[in-house]
Amino acid sequence: MTGTEKKKKNNRKIIRLDNRFDLNIGTILFGMILIYLIIIFVVYLTREKVTPYEVVRGSLSGNYRYSALALKSEQVVQAQESGAVTYYAREGSNVGSGELICSVGGQADESGKKASVQTSLSDEELTSVKSMLSTYSANSGPNDFSSVYNLKADLESVILQSSIDENAGQYVSGSYQSQSAGFVVYSVDGYEHTEESQLDADMFGKRAYKRENLRLHKSVSAGDDIYKLVTSETWYLYFPVDDQLRIQLDGTERIRVRFLKDNSVFTAPFTIISGKDGYYGKITLTNSLVRFAEDRFLDIELILSKAEGLKIPVSAIVSRDFYRIPAEYVTVSQSSEKEVYLQTQTFRSDGSAQNRNFTANVYAKDTDSNTYLVDASVLKDGDYIIMPGTEKKYEISDDVKETVQGVYNINKGYAVFREVNIVDQNEEFCIVNPENTYGLSAHDRIALDASKVKEDEIIA
């Protein structure tokens, strides 16, 4: 190796690269933003979603559905002897006095005139059979076994009735003729002699209700019930009435009612009576018993006047506590009448006073008492509100606390409580008064389920 080559080799410089990671402010900010976005994304995926509901104008039909108890003038007839029982009159039919209902123990007397036998049904009887089948098809379900037995018994009654002439009753051994005119019913349930003064909530429990179908017994003993006769066209429907409905119906003398069994609608006298454990509505009917003679419970719907306003779900309603503050103790904001300025005085544990000024949201104003409702969370018992420009004080206590119903308005992306005045309500929706400066307006967005929201919570 020549000298020149050695010199060049010695002149080469080896530069070591610094592999250390420089942590600059840009990297830190980027990392913080990335972590923040990840946290926000995870929270969004795991938090309960708040479903919005758009407030609309509407109305409730004001209809109330009840399972009403029917009380009638009923007379139960017992067998005078033992034997096989044969029924001739169709259930629900209106019979006159002296008509053949059934017979117990035996055939037609050999010594007398025998009943004439028909080999076919008349046109009227065929029409009756078709009507029975149509009614059964329309009103009975696949598991309604009692209706099957009732249909079978009704058809047997038509056939038996067709096999005897109008005078056959006097020749049938052990025959039972009706002692008065009325509607024939072949079931008993223990409610036959119930008075309205005996009404209580237990009587309206349909699950515990038991009805004995007398036509299922092919033979009877002396003293057994064999049929029932409803002897008066006047009958009554009773249903429980809560305080809200009692106030709404106070003074009502006539009411429209729909029978869900056949969608027939009637207007009838109405009154509210006092039972053993509460109040009950009483509807007096003087017709249509032929359609409901055998029914003890009837599903009805009261058709009341419609209330209009803003329609919101019941699930959106929430109750909160507020303090009622006289108007002279607040200063209303010039930018929004929904905000007021308050000057408060609080006493520390050592007895010294601490004054503070702050802005509070107004949730309602009572024009009658000229007071504002302010959220209870911004004040506490023992605080004093100072009247502007004076030394007068207004003490905050439980006596001025009030519970208010409202909803959470989410128009601005966060939850804000707004008072509502409910004017009508059913199980799913309620109607609130739209004439409320501090309440809701049509097309406002509210939280559908108030239990999932808190005041000032950001709604994603």
Side-chain angles (χ1 to χ4, degrees):
M1 180 180 295
T2 62
T4 303
E5 291 175 342
K6 289 182 178 179
K7 188 175 181 178
K8 288 181 179 180
K9 184 176 181 180
N10 292 333
N11 288 338
R12 292 175 182 172
K13 292 183 178 180
I14 299 175
I15 300 175
R16 294 179 179 274
L17 296 177
D18 190 356
N19 293 326
R20 289 178 304 171
F21 178 72
D22 289 333
L23 192 65
N24 55 49
I25 188 66
T27 304
I28 294 174
L29 288 176
F30 178 79
M32 292 175 63
I33 293 172
L34 180 62
I35 293 172
Y36 173 77
L37 292 176
I38 292 173
I39 293 174
I40 293 296
F41 182 70
V42 172
V43 170
Y44 175 78
L45 292 179
T46 57
R47 70 179 296 181
E48 271 192 304
K49 300 296 186 295
V50 176
T51 304
Y53 174 85
E54 183 174 343
V55 178
V56 296
R57 284 186 174 271
S59 65
L60 299 180
S61 61
N63 294 346
Y64 297 81
R65 292 189 174 186
Y66 296 91
S67 181
L69 175 67
L71 294 184
K72 309 154 190 171
S73 177
E74 299 167 285
Q75 181 184 57
V76 181
V77 178
Q78 286 84 28
Q80 301 300 315
E81 60 274 302
S82 301
V85 59
T86 303
Y87 291 104
Y88 301 99
R90 187 166 64 88
E91 184 169 35
S93 61
N94 189 2
V95 298
S97 178
E99 288 194 30
L100 176 64
I101 305 298
C102 64
S103 65
V104 176
Q107 306 294 326
D109 283 341
E110 295 298 330
S111 59
K113 178 181 176 181
K114 293 187 179 182
S116 59
V117 178
Q118 297 179 337
T119 58
S120 62
L121 300 178
S122 66
D123 291 341
E124 183 180 353
E125 290 163 342
L126 285 173
T127 302
S128 177
V129 169
K130 291 178 181 178
S131 176
M132 290 181 206
L133 295 174
S134 298
T135 301
Y136 171 79
S137 177
N139 299 326
S140 301
N143 298 322
D144 194 358
F145 301 112
S146 62
S147 294
V148 176
Y149 287 111
N150 287 335
L151 175 65
K152 175 178 178 289
D154 282 339
L155 294 174
E156 287 177 350
S157 294
V158 172
I159 296 171
L160 286 170
Q161 190 69 43
S162 69
S163 66
I164 58 176
D165 61 30
E166 59 182 4
N167 299 314
Q170 59 185 307
Y171 303 109
V172 176
S173 176
S175 62
Y176 286 77
Q177 288 87 23
S178 59
Q179 299 301 310
S180 61
F183 296 91
V184 178
V185 177
Y186 293 124
S187 62
V188 291
D189 55 12
Y191 284 81
E192 285 77 16
H193 303 293
T194 301
E195 302 289 340
E196 65 180 35
S197 60
Q198 300 173 294
L199 292 177
D200 59 35
D202 292 339
M203 289 186 176
F204 293 84
K206 293 177 67 174
R207 289 188 177 182
Y209 174 71
K210 294 181 179 179
R211 185 179 71 165
E212 182 183 3
N213 190 338
L214 301 177
R215 289 189 294 187
L216 297 182
H217 305 306
K218 298 304 180 183
S219 63
V220 295
S221 299
D224 288 349
D225 298 332
I226 52 175
Y227 74 92
K228 181 168 63 180
L229 204 62
V230 182
T231 58
S232 175
E233 286 268 9
T234 301
W235 55 297
Y236 308 94
L237 290 175
Y238 299 89
F239 58 92
V241 173
D242 57 25
D243 290 338
Q244 181 181 354
L245 185 59
R246 181 168 62 88
I247 294 172
Q248 184 178 352
L249 296 178
D250 185 37
T252 301
E253 296 181 353
R254 295 183 67 82
I255 197 168
R256 294 186 70 205
V257 58
R258 174 182 289 111
F259 290 92
L260 302 185
K261 180 178 180 179
D262 58 3
N263 284 323
S264 56
V265 178
F266 296 93
T267 300
F270 173 80
T271 186
I272 295 177
I273 65 169
S274 178
K276 292 172 63 176
D277 57 355
Y279 292 96
Y280 296 89
K282 175 183 178 181
I283 301 173
T284 303
L285 296 156
T286 56
N287 52 30
S288 302
L289 184 58
V290 64
R291 296 146 82 173
F292 311 111
E294 59 265 41
D295 295 310
R296 180 64 68 192
F297 288 96
L298 285 164
D299 292 328
I300 63 171
E301 186 176 42
L302 305 183
I303 305 175
L304 307 180
S305 58
K306 295 182 179 180
E308 296 184 353
L310 301 178
K311 187 175 182 179
I312 61 176
V314 172
S315 61
I317 302 294
V318 64
S319 296
R320 289 185 54 183
D321 292 332
F322 295 88
Y323 287 115
R324 187 176 291 277
I325 302 175
E328 57 267 24
Y329 285 83
V330 308
T331 302
V332 180
S333 171
Q334 294 182 351
S335 59
S336 172
E337 58 182 352
K338 296 181 180 180
E339 292 181 345
V340 295
Y341 300 107
L342 297 175
Q343 182 181 356
T344 64
Q345 185 178 76
T346 304
F347 289 92
R348 300 186 181 95
S349 58
D350 59 2
S352 60
Q354 179 185 15
N355 293 352
R356 69 186 180 110
N357 299 312
F358 63 93
T359 301
N361 290 325
V362 173
Y363 292 92
K365 180 182 180 181
D366 188 341
T367 56
D368 294 334
S369 61
N370 198 26
T371 56
Y372 290 93
L373 291 180
V374 176
D375 190 0
S377 64
V378 301
L379 298 166
K380 65 179 184 296
D381 289 358
D383 286 352
Y384 289 89
I385 308 295
I386 302 174
M387 182 185 293
T390 70
E391 295 184 357
K392 292 184 178 181
K393 299 177 182 178
Y394 179 77
E395 184 179 1
I396 298 299
S397 66
D398 282 338
D399 294 336
V400 297
K401 183 180 288 186
E402 185 172 327
T403 300
V404 175
Q405 289 184 314
V407 299
Y408 286 114
N409 187 312
I410 56 174
N411 283 344
K412 298 180 179 180
Y414 59 91
V416 178
F417 182 85
R418 287 287 176 254
E419 183 201 20
V420 294
N421 297 319
I422 299 175
V423 297
D424 198 6
Q425 181 176 341
N426 60 21
E427 294 180 354
E428 297 181 357
F429 289 93
C430 59
I431 300 297
V432 302
N433 187 358
E435 307 299 328
N436 187 344
T437 304
Y438 306 92
L440 294 175
S441 300
H443 307 299
D444 278 350
R445 296 171 72 248
I446 63 174
L448 179 63
D449 187 350
S451 64
K452 298 181 179 179
V453 183
K454 296 180 180 179
E455 177 79 2
D456 296 326
E457 179 182 351
I458 297 176
I459 307 300

